[in-house]
Amino acid sequence: MAGTDSRRGQLPKDAPPGPAVILVDPQMGENIGATARAMLNCGLTDLRLVRPRDGWPNSRAIAASSGATLVIDNVKLFDTTQEALDDLQFVFATTARSRDMIMPVYTPRAAAAEIHQRMGKSGQKCGVLFGPERSGLVNDDIARADAVINVPLNPGFSSLNLGQAVLLIAYEWSQGANETPPRALHTGETGPVTKQEFDSFMERLEEELDNGGFFTSPDMRPTILRNLRNLFQRMEVTGQEIRTFHGIISTLTGQKKDKAKKKKKA
Amino acid sequence: MAGTDSRRGQLPKDAPPGPAVILVDPQMGENIGATARAMLNCGLTDLRLVRPRDGWPNSRAIAASSGATLVIDNVKLFDTTQEALDDLQFVFATTARSRDMIMPVYTPRAAAAEIHQRMGKSGQKCGVLFGPERSGLVNDDIARADAVINVPLNPGFSSLNLGQAVLLIAYEWSQGANETPPRALHTGETGPVTKQEFDSFMERLEEELDNGGFFTSPDMRPTILRNLRNLFQRMEVTGQEIRTFHGIISTLTGQKKDKAKKKKKA
């Protein structure tokens, strides 16, 4: 009977693919439900929760979703933000505050256009990260994103609740049928690197920097690593290019020469 | 002390005049509060209530307004829709359903543009009518309006709650006046690298890659170098960050260790 239950909510058959919505450490079930409702209002269905405070499933979330079961029934749970992003290629972080990190900052409207352009023409997978209700996203999670979305509101009263923030982003996405990109990155045949390939590159770089004694101050190590991640992230690197960087590290550390020598000897 | 209470919320001094928001027969105080909050988020302050079910003032509304007292304290009460519209010159009615009446139907974005044009250039007074939670506006109230706003949402799940509907209209109005660039790179204190610093970094990288035997095919060398330059260029790197990259090269090539050894010996 599900198919005839109008409360369940549906998507039109020709609905375009939309971005994942990732809530990190959400506290109130009501906000998760409001998020699911706002998503389905705007044609989005991929909701991911990282460590929801009250566990999952959550009866308050279901009540507040007003019948958006198409979203609620497909919620995916994760222990870490990293895992929640693994299959995505371009991720926005929503944050009200300006941070120390150097990242492109989009309005919701420009972000919506960027997502349509990436998902529609290039078939990329995109997502939007939202932090917990009071504190917002931590810097380490922001550093995993490729860009930031900042909603320009009344500076004298700018705090939105979580469900409202999701609604505005999802609404802008839904209104973005116009696919003229305000800014486009032409990656040719090869697509953006997956988060997994990217993470393993960052791990290797960190190891080689440790080997070389790059970090003179242990206190600064986490900040420098986060800034490095942010710096490489900003490059919007492709899978091919990450392999080039691996080659560069092999070369600079002499691993390539060693291999060549071994070959000559043999 | 009210002036120094940040919870009160404020409007920028140069805020443009905005439309009145008129709620007809609102039932739940929570929705009136959410309306006040969404309005002040977006720079609107003129809230009018026609026959609120639970009277006025309403403690639930005040709680849900999250400190938007600038709106709550100035609420105006009316017995009829007609009186609530008396001083206005152009009124939109929000409705999800198509009606028998023949009226211009606007998207929220087009309505926002219309309101800005009327209020800004011609100094007209505008308003937006919202009906009660379950039933929406009655035909007699719609007939008092000059035009209809219809929010184009997922047709399979299009019902918004009252506070969310007000947020979307108020948000579109606020974006019509907003001059935030759609995408900006926040580089903080330090600016983008100069071309000279960038070129000398690329030269050093090239030299070190040559030393390490990175280029196995001389034919491909120019292409690879061009692609590497493009890759780093794309990063929109700052002067500080180029120095970090120099440090990384020194580390990976062992030059940093050598220096440290020399220091120890001396």
Side-chain angles (χ1 to χ4, degrees), chain B residues 87-118:
Chain B
D87 61 322
L88 304 180
Q89 293 167 290
F90 196 90
V91 173
F92 284 98
T94 57
T95 169
R97 291 163 239 169
S98 56
R99 308 272 181 164
D100 299 333
M101 262 170 287
I102 300 166
M103 291 176 82
V105 178
Y106 285 67
T107 61
R109 194 159 301 171
E114 179 83 45
I115 292 171
H116 276 291
Q117 193 269 328
R118 288 178 179 274

Side-chain angles (χ1 to χ4, degrees), chain A residues 154-171:
Chain A
N154 171 12
F157 192 76
S158 62
S159 132
L160 286 173
N161 85 19
L162 181 54
Q164 288 174 320
V166 173
L167 175 66
L168 289 184
I169 307 298
Y171 167 78

Side-chain angles (χ1 to χ4, degrees), chain B:
Chain B
M1 290 297 286
T4 60
D5 180 1
S6 69
R7 290 273 296 170
R8 234 185 97 82
Q10 302 197 336
L11 268 192
K13 275 176 195 165
D14 57 349
V21 169
I22 306 107
L23 305 186
V24 181
D25 291 316
Q27 299 175 8
M28 297 175 65
E30 287 83 350
N31 287 333
I32 301 173
T35 292
R37 178 180 183 174
M39 286 175 64
L40 194 53
N41 278 152
C42 300
L44 300 181
T45 53
D46 184 353
L47 176 57
R48 307 175 181 196
L49 305 180
V50 180
R51 300 178 299 260
R53 185 191 64 187
D54 301 332
W56 192 259
N58 178 321
S59 60
R60 284 169 183 269
I62 292 166
S65 75
S66 295
T69 50
L70 188 61
V71 178
I72 291 287
D73 289 353
N74 291 305
V75 161
K76 295 180 204 83
L77 275 182
F78 297 92
D79 291 328
T80 65
T81 304
Q82 180 178 358
E83 291 166 282
L85 304 184
D86 260 351
D87 61 322
L88 304 180
Q89 293 167 290
F90 196 90
V91 173
F92 284 98
T94 57
T95 169
R97 291 163 239 169
S98 56
R99 308 272 181 164
D100 299 333
M101 262 170 287
I102 300 166
M103 291 176 82
V105 178
Y106 285 67
T107 61
R109 194 159 301 171
E114 179 83 45
I115 292 171
H116 276 291
Q117 193 269 328
R118 288 178 179 274
M119 299 195 77
K121 289 195 185 138
S122 337
Q124 295 178 23
K125 294 194 79 176
C126 297
V128 185
L129 268 175
F130 294 83
E133 284 88 339
R134 280 171 195 282
S135 49
L137 286 168
V138 298
N139 278 347
D140 279 347
D141 283 343
I142 296 175
R144 292 191 179 280
D146 301 281
V148 160
I149 300 178
N150 198 296
V151 189
L153 293 170
N154 171 12
F157 192 77
S158 61
S159 132
L160 285 174
N161 84 19
L162 180 54
Q164 289 173 319
V166 172
L167 175 65
L168 289 185
I169 307 299
Y171 167 78
E172 282 285 11
W173 178 82
S174 77
Q175 300 307 292
N178 192 284
E179 288 173 1
T180 309
R183 176 185 178 277
L185 185 68
H186 290 211
T187 55
E189 302 277 299
T190 164
V193 68
T194 66
K195 293 300 174 191
Q196 192 180 39
E197 287 169 309
F198 186 78
D199 287 342
S200 78
F201 169 73
M202 289 309 298
E203 279 161 26
R204 179 176 176 199
L205 179 63
E206 182 180 340
E207 194 186 313
E208 296 293 358
L209 291 178
D210 272 330
N211 290 344
F214 181 71
F215 302 104
T216 44
S217 150
D219 288 357
M220 290 302 293
R221 194 172 181 280
T223 308
I224 294 172
L225 278 175
R226 193 170 55 229
N227 290 348
L228 273 179
R229 167 178 284 273
N230 165 263
L231 186 51
F232 277 95
Q233 192 90 37
R234 207 191 306 158
M235 209 183 244
E236 304 180 43
V237 74
T238 68
Q240 176 57 50
E241 290 166 344
I242 273 290
R243 288 189 283 283
T244 303
F245 272 122
H246 276 295
I248 288 180
I249 291 190
S250 297
T251 301
L252 295 178
T253 54
Q255 292 162 35
K256 194 181 160 87
K257 249 184 185 164
D258 294 347
K259 250 194 194 168
K261 275 184 193 166
K262 273 183 196 166
K263 268 193 186 168
K264 270 190 183 171
K265 278 186 185 173

Side-chain angles (χ1 to χ4, degrees), chain A residues 178-253:
Chain A
N178 185 334
E179 290 188 357
T180 312
R183 173 184 177 274
L185 182 69
H186 291 244
T187 55
E189 300 276 301
T190 165
V193 69
T194 67
K195 294 299 176 191
Q196 195 178 38
E197 288 170 308
F198 186 81
D199 286 340
S200 77
F201 169 73
M202 290 308 299
E203 280 162 26
R204 181 177 174 199
L205 178 62
E206 182 179 342
E207 197 185 311
E208 296 293 358
L209 291 178
D210 272 329
N211 290 343
F214 180 72
F215 302 103
T216 45
S217 149
D219 287 356
M220 289 302 293
R221 193 173 180 280
T223 306
I224 294 172
L225 278 174
R226 193 169 59 225
N227 290 347
L228 273 179
R229 166 179 283 273
N230 163 264
L231 186 53
F232 277 95
Q233 190 92 37
R234 210 190 305 156
M235 208 184 248
E236 303 180 41
V237 74
T238 69
Q240 176 57 51
E241 289 166 343
I242 272 290
R243 288 189 283 281
T244 302
F245 272 122
H246 276 294
I248 290 180
I249 290 190
S250 297
T251 301
L252 295 178
T253 53

